[in-house]
Amino acid sequence: MTQSLTKQEKLVLAGLLVCCIGVASFITNFQIISKTTTVVENVINYKMGKATEEISTYSLDGREIDRTIVKPEEEGFIAKTARKISQALGLKKDSKKTAAAKKAEDAKKAQAAQAKKMPKGDFSKPVAKAPVQKQAPVAKNETEVQMQDFNNGGGYVAPTETPNQATQPTEETKKVKKTLEQIKTEFMANPTREAMMALVSSYKKEEVNAADFYQLQSELLESENDTLVGHALYALRLTPSNESFSMMAQYQPSAKAAYQTYIEEALLSYNQSAQINVLGSVIRSGDKVVVMKALKVIEAGINSIKNGTVSQLVDGRGRRETTFAGFSLQNYLSLLPVITQALAASQDNELTASLESLKNLITDIKDSNTAVAAN
């Protein structure tokens, strides 16, 4: 009995057949591709090759070189660009070579110049040592006389030394002395406080004669320029001595009001222990104006010490550090013989009265010390 298939069943069977054919075809192609890949991998060698011998067959032998000159306008774009690049590279190399050559040449010249400066001689021999010069010991600074600027009312303070406290000069510096004209020219070329300080330093080092130093200060005091007068007073205050005291005492009566306080404080500073001997020397000078001023300074010093107001005897900035160690009534006892001698030689009534008054004041100090010792 024959069984017939319906239309739908035929379509299903046809679809199954196509699917089977497709699967079989895919499997076959996959196996072929795998075999091909394996064959290719076996053929290709991935190891880096190494040269076993040097081979260089490059040579221009037997070749004809075309030396035809091509004009720039006939060059193509690529040739023209290549030519410009090569020219630029060549210029850079040349410039580098030129700079390097110039630097090498400069180094050679410097070495040659240095060789000329080197001393000629036998350097294998030991160098003889220069003899050691012994310097004189520096004098001990026994006190500090602080200086106040006459213009700023106690603003400027500078420690000072007496000329004999400065470092002793060597034999060579003693031979070199600046003349009055030299120091005058140097100072007037730049008349400043710093220049005057430098001049004072030279004076303390004995590079300038005392006569020339004080001659310059005398000329400056006679100047109509207030700044120059101030520099002279500043120099005199930096160099406490018989000459400095005398010049300031003589100048004070005619000095302007702006300088009065500055001069007075400078003179009162001589009551300090280290300057008492200067007051004794001034009293022996015989100049009435100077002696009278010295007597007033001594009297003011004694009264200040008795009253405990020694701050009046020093500069503004020195008051905080002032103690009775720098001021003592005992110091004035050394002046009693000098005052007694001056009193005996005096023929001036005013001067005699001042000497007598000061002698009695110092005698009272002596008597009070004797009474204390007796108790």
Side-chain angles (χ1 to χ4, degrees), residues 263-287:
I263 296 173
E264 187 67 19
E265 290 183 353
L267 296 176
L268 287 175
S269 66
Y270 282 80
N271 280 290
Q272 297 184 73
S273 300
Q275 308 302 336
I276 290 293
N277 61 332
V278 177
L279 294 175
S281 177
V282 169
I283 293 174
R284 296 190 189 94
S285 65
D287 189 315

Side-chain angles (χ1 to χ4, degrees), residues 7-305:
K7 187 177 181 178
Q8 292 181 349
E9 291 176 347
K10 292 180 180 179
L11 291 174
V12 172
L13 290 174
L16 291 173
L17 182 61
V18 171
C19 289
C20 292
I21 295 171
V23 172
S25 176
F26 175 77
I27 294 172
T28 304
N29 291 334
F30 180 77
Q31 291 177 352
I32 294 172
I33 292 172
S34 299
K35 291 180 179 180
T36 305
T37 304
T38 304
V39 172
V40 172
E41 289 180 352
N42 293 332
V43 172
I44 298 175
N45 185 8
Y46 292 97
K47 293 183 179 180
M48 179 66 71
K50 295 183 180 180
T52 57
E53 60 179 344
E54 295 183 359
I55 300 174
S56 178
T57 59
Y58 179 78
S59 175
L60 296 178
D61 295 341
R63 300 188 183 185
E64 294 183 0
I65 300 175
D66 187 5
R67 302 182 182 277
T68 305
I69 299 175
V70 181
K71 297 181 180 180
E73 57 270 12
E74 296 178 358
E75 291 179 341
F77 175 77
I78 298 176
K80 187 181 295 184
T81 304
R83 181 174 57 80
K84 290 182 179 180
I85 293 173
S86 62
Q87 289 178 352
L89 293 175
L91 289 175
K92 289 183 179 179
K93 291 181 179 179
D94 293 341
S95 62
K96 290 182 180 179
K97 290 181 180 179
T98 304
K102 186 175 181 181
K103 188 179 294 185
E105 185 177 355
D106 293 341
K108 290 181 180 180
K109 289 182 179 180
Q111 292 177 357
Q114 188 68 21
K116 290 182 180 179
K117 294 181 181 179
M118 292 292 291
K120 297 180 180 179
D122 188 359
F123 294 98
S124 60
K125 297 181 180 180
V127 180
K129 296 183 179 179
V132 179
Q133 297 181 353
K134 296 183 179 180
Q135 297 182 350
V138 180
K140 184 178 181 181
N141 187 5
E142 298 177 356
T143 184
E144 291 184 357
V145 182
Q146 296 179 323
M147 310 314 302
Q148 176 185 359
D149 189 351
F150 60 91
N151 284 328
N152 57 19
Y156 181 85
V157 179
T160 61
E161 296 177 345
T162 55
N164 59 352
Q165 292 173 336
T167 303
Q168 296 297 328
T170 61
E171 294 297 329
E172 295 181 358
T173 56
K174 286 182 179 180
K175 297 178 182 179
V176 180
K177 295 284 186 180
K178 295 182 180 179
T179 64
L180 175 61
E181 294 300 325
Q182 286 178 331
I183 62 176
K184 187 186 300 184
T185 301
E186 291 177 2
F187 176 74
M188 294 307 296
N190 184 27
T192 61
R193 180 180 298 277
E194 290 73 16
M196 182 56 74
M197 290 179 65
L199 178 58
V200 170
S201 178
S202 298
Y203 167 64
K204 291 181 178 181
K205 294 177 181 178
E206 298 185 7
E207 296 175 0
V208 177
N209 290 322
D212 294 338
F213 176 78
Y214 286 107
Q215 177 62 32
L216 176 60
Q217 309 312 324
S218 177
E219 294 180 6
L220 294 178
L221 289 176
E222 295 175 359
S223 172
E224 296 180 358
N225 188 324
D226 291 344
T227 302
L228 296 180
V229 173
H231 290 328
L233 293 174
Y234 176 66
L236 294 175
R237 195 165 183 176
L238 287 176
T239 54
S241 64
N242 185 1
E243 293 81 359
S244 296
F245 186 97
S246 299
M247 290 183 68
M248 285 191 288
Q250 291 172 349
Y251 180 74
Q252 188 178 25
S254 61
K256 294 183 179 181
Y259 303 133
Q260 290 296 333
T261 301
Y262 183 79
I263 296 173
E264 187 67 19
E265 290 183 353
L267 296 176
L268 287 175
S269 66
Y270 282 80
N271 280 290
Q272 297 184 73
S273 300
Q275 308 302 336
I276 290 293
N277 61 332
V278 177
L279 294 175
S281 177
V282 169
I283 293 174
R284 296 190 189 94
S285 65
D287 189 315
K288 180 181 177 180
V289 175
V290 177
V291 174
M292 288 292 292
K293 187 61 184 179
L295 298 178
K296 291 180 181 179
V297 167
I298 295 171
E299 183 178 359
I302 293 175
N303 292 330
S304 296
I305 295 174

